[in-house]
Amino acid sequence: MWTIYSEDHRLHRPRYELMDGELVPVFEKPERADWVLERVKARGLGEIAAPRRHGLDAALRVHADHYVDYLAHAWRDWAALGRSHDIMPYCYPVRGMGQRRPTDPDARAGFYAMDSAAPIMAGSWQAIQSSLDCALSALERITEARERAAFAVCRPPGHHAGHDYLGGYCYLNNAAIAAQQLRDKGASRVVVLDVDYHHGNGTQQLFYARSDVLFVSIHGDPGVEYPFFAGHADETGVGEGLGYNLNFPLPHGTGFTQWHAALQAGCRAIERFGADALVVSLGVDTYQDDPISQFKLASPDYLRMGETIAALGLPTLFVMEGGYAVDEIGVNMVNVLEGFEGRA
Ligand code: OKP
Ligand code: ZN
């Protein structure tokens, strides 16, 4: 299958994030994409191409215009104050506070954030747009070139980004935008399957009241894991969307047997739904040596993950999300794709 990749991701390299009460170097770093691309080449997965520019229309189908405008201009307004460090919020509007849109740069940073883990620097907006371009160009391999599957090397990732907020390394929700694009291009029913270790709270939010996009997520139990405030099993959708949101929270230490049982249950629901197309939020931070996660998957397990996903028989867009262990993220990510293609 084709891989769509842009060098622009290097423009986004924020310095610090908060972990265990300490500022530490960001785990979501440019080398991640290098490891993945190297492995795609080493395995001869297929053509590697740069994305074409798509503009923001597709993003505006799921994100608020004032939020996209914030992303586009946040750095300009921040730098105008003489600041050179990454934008990082420190004050958030919680329960009971007004939701009026602020103008002050620090207020805006908090207003549009769910956490401090998505800093913005000078080159971020360019990288964010190119990451989305990768997802949309990969999608065209399916919708226009009529191929079965494609892989988008998206950096920064997207699944924590909601209608009007960033967080968890995510800014624009690449997978959700691609799913909406599939709907807009004629698919009646689309599934987003999120296999990243962390719950895709942004994707869940965007489709929570809709029955045309089924969201299925397998992730660390939010009772004890980021993003904490979404991803519980009883979150099943609302209104029209009731029954079209399916969460599989799993405990720390979960290995592949238990994980795969959840995937199979998810796949049965996907089959009942009768989808026309599938978007996979492909995070491989479920790996046993991932530095910020608590599942115990081993590299060969990702081949089986790909096989199981392929058995759904759907046109499938793979959108890169998380995965942070050195090197093995390339092996694991490409194992899913090779398993999908039956090459393993
Ligand atoms: C993004 B993706 C760990 C701090 C966690 C944010 C994690 C974002 C994960 N102690 N910080 O879903 O892989
Ligand atoms: Zn993750």
Side-chain angles (χ1 to χ4, degrees):
M1 73 178 78
W2 281 49
T3 295
I4 309 297
Y5 167 83
S6 166
E7 284 290 331
D8 285 357
H9 76 86
R10 292 187 205 290
L11 299 167
H12 178 67
R13 189 189 191 109
R15 273 186 262 189
Y16 301 114
E17 67 175 282
L18 267 175
M19 176 151 126
D20 306 337
E22 199 181 6
L23 280 175
V24 299
V26 171
F27 286 96
E28 199 291 290
K29 55 190 180 185
E31 290 82 348
R32 299 177 59 246
D34 294 334
W35 296 323
V36 170
L37 200 70
E38 263 168 42
R39 186 67 179 177
V40 165
K41 287 178 185 161
R43 298 296 301 167
L45 186 72
E47 203 84 35
I48 299 168
R52 76 171 181 84
R53 256 275 177 267
H54 284 77
L56 294 170
D57 290 354
L60 292 167
R61 295 281 295 136
V62 314
H63 291 289
D65 54 0
H66 59 98
Y67 169 61
V68 175
D69 189 68
Y70 167 70
L71 291 178
H73 299 114
W75 181 259
R76 179 199 66 190
D77 297 347
W78 184 264
L81 299 173
R83 298 175 177 182
S84 57
H85 283 76
D86 303 343
I87 302 178
M88 204 182 258
Y90 69 88
C91 185
Y92 306 87
V94 295
R95 293 162 297 285
M97 283 180 169
Q99 295 297 319
R100 129 186 34 231
R101 288 181 215 160
T103 52
D104 177 89
D106 284 301
R108 279 159 70 79
F111 184 75
Y112 288 113
M114 66 177 274
D115 61 33
S116 59
I120 293 175
M121 53 177 290
S124 297
W125 178 233
Q126 180 66 34
I128 291 162
Q129 291 177 89
S130 291
S131 182
L132 175 59
D133 284 332
C134 285
L136 293 174
S137 292
L139 183 59
E140 284 165 356
R141 298 309 305 170
I142 295 165
T143 57
E144 280 161 37
R146 297 275 150 205
E147 290 163 7
R148 163 88 196 274
F151 175 43
V153 183
C154 292
R155 227 204 119 250
H159 72 151
H160 296 301
H163 179 63
D164 58 2
Y165 66 85
L166 50 74
Y169 313 145
C170 300
Y171 305 83
L172 294 177
N173 193 320
N174 306 306
I177 295 167
Q180 180 62 46
Q181 183 81 345
L182 277 159
R183 284 284 292 111
D184 292 342
K185 289 196 167 172
S188 317
R189 304 189 137 212
V190 177
V191 177
V192 181
L193 170 63
D194 191 325
V195 299
D196 186 279
Y197 172 76
H198 303 94
H199 177 249
N201 60 281
T203 315
Q204 168 168 306
Q205 182 212 22
L206 289 164
F207 300 119
Y208 206 60
R210 290 170 53 170
S211 59
D212 58 333
V213 180
L214 171 67
F215 181 60
V216 178
S217 181
I218 307 165
H219 50 266
D221 182 351
V224 291
E225 186 53 87
Y226 178 93
F228 301 112
F229 309 112
H232 302 270
D234 63 1
E235 296 162 16
T236 54
V238 71
E240 182 100 338
L242 191 60
Y244 297 91
N245 193 90
L246 194 52
N247 284 327
F248 294 94
L250 300 172
H252 285 174
T254 291
F256 188 66
T257 306
Q258 205 185 346
W259 193 96
H260 193 251
L263 177 62
Q264 283 174 313
C267 285
R268 285 195 294 275
I270 292 170
E271 280 160 4
R272 282 196 301 274
F273 178 66
D276 302 312
L278 172 66
V279 177
V280 179
S281 266
L282 181 56
V284 293
D285 39 8
T286 46
Y287 183 54
Q288 55 194 6
D289 294 329
D290 193 277
I292 65 170
S293 306
Q294 308 295 330
F295 285 177
K296 296 281 166 261
L297 272 61
S299 291
D301 297 334
Y302 292 92
L303 293 164
R304 286 200 57 209
M305 186 187 297
E307 284 168 17
T308 302
I309 294 169
L312 290 167
L314 294 168
T316 302
L317 173 67
F318 290 95
V319 175
M320 184 165 112
E321 304 281 359
Y324 306 98
V326 211
D327 236 347
E328 288 92 338
I329 83 157
V331 173
N332 297 341
M333 197 96 46
V334 175
N335 272 2
V336 175
L337 307 175
E338 291 200 87
F340 180 92
E341 291 197 320
R343 299 193 345 151

